[in-house]
Amino acid sequence: METRLNKLTSRTQDGFVHHGNNGLENGLITSAVTPSSLVTVNTNFDVIIIGAGFTGLMAARELSRRNRKVLIIEARDRIGGRTFTSEFDNQKYEMGGTWVHWSQPHVWTEITRYGLSIVETQGVTADRLSLLLDNGSRLKITSMTNLLPQLCESMNNYSNIDGVQGRTVMPLPHEPFGANEVIQTYDKMSMQDRLDQISTIFNNNKDMYEIMDAYLSMNSQCKLSESGFIDHLRWWALGDYETCRLFDKTSRYKITEGISTLAKAMLNDCHNVQLLLSTPIISINRTNDNNVTICTQNGQLFTGRTTIITIPLNTLHNIEFFPPLKLEKQRVINEQQCRGGSKFAVKLEEPIGNWCGYAPYPNPITMAFTDDKEGTIIIGFGMEDLLDIRDFDAVKLALNKLLPDIKIKYIIGHDWRSDPYTGGTWGWYRPGQITSNLLTLQEHEPPLFFASSDTANGWRGFIDGALESGLTVVRHVEQYLNKESTINI
Ligand SMILES: Cc1cc2nc3c(=O)[nH]c(=O)nc-3n(C[C@H](O)[C@H](O)[C@H](O)COP(=O)(O)OP(=O)(O)OC[C@H]3O[C@@H](n4cnc5c(N)ncnc54)[C@H](O)[C@@H]3O)c2cc1C
């Protein structure tokens, strides 16, 4: 089943394919697996970057091209972090971060730089739509054309907290505190609070309430009562305050060559960066001469003038800092953010055409849609831990509720929630966390610098946010290395 493409690829320990009765295979073939460098332990690096996701790759490329001596230490056996493209059964499957858009400024620049192209995911504009309603007991079949005007109207009502579609609260989505005092008020609100506020508009259309529930919790992958409303408004503003444009920007176009091709292109464009894979770090020590010593799980020590820590917010609490970080910083790290849910792909025995399905909480699948033209591949998403994607029968049962007649050939995916180096999927803050946590998380404690998609300003929680954060931290590290010790973000 493995193709000739695999000659350029190797197997990572991440991910699985489940063939039903024919068993489960752990590990997937991907071009994101790449050789480690032979690192001389006594080298004094300018910058040691922890993590080879897009934040780390951006920082490594930019710093190394400024002739900084850079080491990347990565826990996994591959690059790309919360993204990797698996090549299986003559298909490219994206296991994590997938969809990109020309209005995502940082990612689009990289697509242009490396001459990559985009391909459309079909199901976002599906003509056949399944809605699982009334606590999963009623299946309604309709079309996207029928649903869209109602969904757009409901989304407009939901987001219209100020009579101008949220523009006064989120006027500049790349500046989270652009409307300072107003942000304080709305940051306390959960997505559920806002749904409750407008609930009377659904009095004559209960189905629409359930569809809104499914759509909104698909975005946060978390119970709406635990998902911050401000992050919804940020997405909404980034989507130009309009539902169809938000769909297009978040789930319609993916990189034809695969997201791992972009990660590899960035790595290959670094100048003399050393990369150490399969090397989890466990502690970060600031030395008396204001250098940094990084200690790995297998006891190796690496020293640098600075370090950039790109470890995801939900697993950063596993790292020990000596001396400890500022109390407030450690507090917000310990709080974490929403953990997200599941993403998986299934290959069907028979094509089903262009299809999409929604099922609100507590259905194990919140949203699913076909990815390819014929409709033989479905991408599914589930909220929190409601679906164990490694359980073939559980996925089959949940999907059959939306599509009773389909037969699954295999399931392919990666369980990001139980991944010790991720602890969740994409970033979404809980109520109150933007105003109380974001600035603290972004604050550096030189020579320690922090960067991550989870703490970006604009497309936080997206690949674009990782690139933004990677680029921003490069400016701060350069200022520091050039002997400016006061960092103003
Ligand atoms: C299922 C899923 C779907 C998504 N869909 C989209 C999408 O369609 N579009 C989009 O733009 N974004 C999407 N995202 C989000 C996007 O992928 C992430 O926001 C982004 O890739 C994060 O980049 P990062 O470099 O900040 O973090 P990461 O990619 O998580 O990189 C951090 C790196 O640190 C490493 N690390 C962790 N702990 C240690 C340690 N102790 N020692 C050494 N290394 C360590 C990790 O292994 C990892 O490689 C999705 C994410 C997921 C999981």
Side-chain angles (χ1 to χ4, degrees):
M1 260 186 262
E2 292 173 5
T3 69
R4 71 186 165 77
L5 280 170
N6 298 336
K7 286 185 183 137
L8 306 169
T9 58
S10 306
R11 189 176 291 273
T12 170
Q13 288 177 356
D14 289 344
F16 68 90
V17 183
H18 203 316
H19 303 270
N21 290 338
N22 292 330
L24 175 100
E25 266 177 76
N26 281 313
L28 292 171
I29 299 291
T30 174
S31 64
V33 173
T34 178
S36 266
S37 318
L38 269 179
V39 182
T40 332
V41 178
N42 291 330
T43 315
N44 194 7
F45 293 95
D46 292 319
V47 190
I48 301 181
I49 299 172
I50 316 297
F54 276 104
T55 304
L57 291 171
M58 171 61 100
R61 186 188 67 195
E62 294 302 307
L63 285 161
S64 68
R65 293 182 79 88
R66 288 168 171 80
N67 293 323
R68 299 295 184 189
K69 205 183 284 177
V70 176
L71 166 67
I72 311 178
I73 307 181
E74 167 56 54
R76 303 176 196 277
D77 55 9
R78 60 170 183 84
I79 61 166
R82 269 172 276 180
T83 69
F84 74 100
T85 314
S86 174
E87 284 151 18
F88 179 77
D89 191 20
N90 285 321
Q91 304 275 349
K92 284 189 171 61
Y93 287 100
E94 297 293 358
M95 297 295 103
T98 305
W99 292 282
V100 295
H101 194 265
W102 48 90
S103 68
Q104 296 173 338
H106 305 92
V107 82
W108 197 254
T109 302
E110 300 308 324
I111 288 170
T112 308
R113 189 191 308 265
Y114 297 116
L116 305 177
S117 57
I118 51 172
V119 61
E120 194 174 340
T121 284
Q122 299 295 312
V124 183
T125 51
D127 28 57
R128 192 158 60 98
L129 183 67
S130 308
L131 304 168
L132 191 58
L133 304 167
D134 296 344
N135 256 329
S137 63
R138 176 167 60 99
L139 184 61
K140 181 173 169 178
I141 309 294
T142 176
S143 72
M144 207 55 165
T145 325
N146 271 343
L147 177 76
L148 215 47
Q150 295 174 57
L151 182 63
C152 289
E153 196 188 329
S154 302
M155 282 289 282
N156 284 348
N157 279 316
Y158 185 76
S159 311
N160 194 15
I161 40 166
D162 54 1
V164 282
Q165 290 297 322
R167 283 179 171 82
T168 60
V169 183
M170 197 55 71
L172 303 165
H174 288 261
E175 289 181 26
F177 301 102
N180 212 349
E181 303 81 43
V182 196
I183 287 283
Q184 302 275 349
T185 313
Y186 288 103
D187 189 31
K188 293 188 192 116
M189 208 178 211
S190 72
M191 306 235 308
Q192 185 62 50
D193 292 334
R194 179 60 188 158
L195 204 52
D196 293 345
Q197 273 184 352
I198 61 158
S199 61
T200 51
I201 69 165
F202 302 111
N203 281 351
N204 298 322
N205 192 351
K206 291 267 188 288
D207 289 0
M208 203 53 225
Y209 180 92
E210 290 200 55
I211 295 160
M212 278 293 282
D213 183 303
Y215 178 62
L216 294 169
S217 47
M218 158 72 218
N219 292 348
S220 71
Q221 286 211 311
C222 182
K223 279 192 202 72
L224 293 183
S225 56
E226 289 166 30
S227 312
F229 177 65
I230 282 288
D231 265 350
H232 162 76
L233 271 191
R234 179 174 53 90
W235 278 41
W236 181 244
L238 289 165
D240 304 332
Y241 311 91
E242 209 265 314
T243 306
C244 286
R245 292 190 57 77
L246 182 58
F247 272 132
D248 283 2
K249 290 177 187 216
T250 54
S251 50
R252 187 156 178 180
Y253 304 100
K254 53 184 187 169
I255 296 179
T256 317
E257 296 83 356
I259 193 74
S260 292
T261 305
L262 177 57
K264 277 296 263 288
M266 291 183 71
L267 180 68
N268 292 340
D269 219 4
C270 291
H271 274 189
N272 300 320
V273 161
Q274 305 205 33
L275 169 66
L276 208 52
L277 291 162
S278 306
T279 309
I281 70 129
I282 54 168
S283 73
I284 298 177
N285 307 266
R286 277 172 274 185
T287 57
N288 290 337
D289 54 357
N290 216 25
N291 278 341
V292 185
T293 302
I294 309 290
C295 181
T296 70
Q297 205 171 61
N298 58 10
Q300 284 174 290
L301 298 176
F302 296 97
T303 304
R305 290 171 66 196
T306 60
T307 183
I308 300 176
I309 300 143
T310 77
I311 293 175
L313 177 52
N314 283 356
T315 54
L316 190 50
H317 64 277
N318 293 327
I319 306 302
E320 280 197 273
F321 289 88
F322 302 102
L325 295 172
K326 286 183 189 156
L327 275 179
E328 180 59 7
K329 179 92 166 185
Q330 192 60 55
R331 180 193 72 75
V332 299
I333 287 173
N334 293 345
E335 250 195 31
Q336 305 177 34
Q337 60 177 338
C338 294
R339 284 177 74 81
S342 55
K343 177 189 179 188
F344 60 94
V346 301
K347 176 77 175 178
L348 302 175
E349 297 278 3
E350 304 285 340
I352 58 164
N354 198 2
W355 171 87
C356 179
Y358 284 101
Y361 182 82
N363 289 297
I365 293 176
T366 320
M367 190 188 186
F369 46 75
T370 47
D371 193 25
D372 56 330
K373 278 211 167 67
E374 303 74 30
T376 61
I377 296 169
I378 293 176
I379 311 293
F381 296 88
M383 222 176 88
E384 298 182 341
D385 56 0
L386 292 178
L387 183 66
D388 177 0
I389 59 170
R390 295 171 66 91
D391 181 339
F392 192 92
D393 292 333
V395 173
K396 185 169 175 290
L397 188 71
L399 208 49
N400 276 156
K401 286 192 172 168
L402 282 159
L403 289 164
D405 301 324
I406 52 153
K407 288 205 174 65
I408 297 175
K409 211 164 156 189
Y410 55 81
I411 302 166
I412 180 165
H414 178 66
D415 182 356
W416 296 100
R417 273 179 67 96
S418 7
D419 182 324
Y421 306 119
T422 302
T425 49
W426 55 86
W428 199 286
Y429 282 22
R430 299 196 188 106
Q433 288 189 324
I434 301 288
T435 45
S436 70
N437 295 10
L438 180 60
L439 286 177
T440 309
L441 287 167
Q442 290 176 341
E443 214 174 278
H444 308 304
E445 296 189 21
L448 313 187
F449 291 81
F450 294 85
S452 167
S453 172
D454 298 333
T455 56
N457 283 331
W459 287 95
R460 184 169 54 253
F462 288 80
I463 297 160
D464 193 81
L467 297 171
E468 175 215 298
S469 187
L471 206 51
T472 308
V473 78
V474 165
R475 183 158 40 84
H476 298 148
V477 169
E478 276 294 327
Q479 281 170 358
Y480 176 82
L481 287 175
N482 290 332
K483 297 285 177 253
E484 284 189 42
S485 49
T486 315
I487 307 297
N488 292 315
I489 298 173

